Amino acid sequence: MRDPHQQFYDQLAAEWDLDYTAEDLERLSRLVDSMKVKSGENVLDLGCGTGILFDMFRRKVGNKGSVTGVDFSVQMARQAHRNFPFDNVNVVDADVAVLPFRDHRFDLVVAFRAFPHFVDKRKALAEIHRVLKPGAPFYIIHLVSSKELAMHHKRRGGVEAEDVLPSADDMQLMFSDARFAKLTIDDHPGLYLATAINS
Ligand SMILES: C[S@@+](CC[C@H](N)C(=O)[O-])C[C@H]1O[C@@H](n2cnc3c(N)ncnc32)[C@H](O)[C@@H]1O
């Protein structure tokens, strides 16, 4: 069965890149810098949209590494592919609940503005745990707090109306059930950053 988010994001893909300000890009770039990504690493961007993070990671991993984006909106995935036709960038049209990658393939997984939209978060976390190397990080990033995000989605209504970041307690439970070793959450006006370390 198709998830209504697919059609919703398909319709937004053509104009998606206009959503970002220079300030957003600057803040994102600083966040990516803080992740200390190394040359040769393999990065996975879940719910990648049109690939707003690709260039930031691509420059860090270089030609020996790779950036892989996953999105189940065909139009978002197509636009990402058009935006970044580089050898070290792959875009895959897939659902995060069934990732088409071998175990322990990635050095880092990120979900920017995407985790609240994953309908089956537990399945997604099980898959993220599976494809991450032991000890590698998974980041959830929003440039707003969880409260600000919930209000924003409520205002917009439609398929996003109920899409929220789970409470800190629910997140701890979900991540430990998915066998992540550690989860820290920074949630304040203007930023939500969850960092989980794989076991
Ligand atoms: C708010 S957009 C963010 C896109 C991009 N990360 C950005 O910030 O520009 C959320 C994206 O997650 C994707 N998405 C939502 N649920 C998904 C799922 N279960 N599997 C794959 N992609 C999903 C949507 O298609 C959409 O492109």
Side-chain angles (χ1 to χ4, degrees), residues 9 16 20 47-49 52 70-73 76 94-96 112-114 117-118:
Y9 287 109
W16 190 258
Y20 287 100
C48 64
I52 197 73
V70 165
D71 206 295
F72 73 176
S73 152
M76 286 286 196
D95 191 317
V96 298
F112 173 51
R113 291 176 71 190
H117 307 299
F118 300 161

Side-chain angles (χ1 to χ4, degrees), residues 65-87:
S66 68
V67 179
T68 301
V70 165
D71 206 295
F72 73 176
S73 152
V74 179
Q75 297 306 330
M76 286 286 196
R78 276 198 192 140
Q79 189 61 43
H81 188 65
R82 275 195 293 267
N83 284 350
F84 298 97
F86 301 110
D87 287 347

Side-chain angles (χ1 to χ4, degrees), residues 28-66:
L28 279 170
S29 186
R30 269 189 266 127
L31 281 165
V32 169
D33 282 349
S34 72
M35 294 175 189
K36 310 264 180 265
V37 181
K38 296 188 198 72
S39 168
E41 288 192 332
N42 298 304
V43 169
L44 176 63
D45 180 354
L46 295 177
C48 64
T50 56
I52 197 73
L53 296 180
F54 286 3
D55 225 32
M56 299 171 201
F57 282 115
R58 200 174 73 80
R59 287 166 197 281
K60 306 267 178 211
V61 300
N63 288 333
K64 290 191 182 130
S66 68

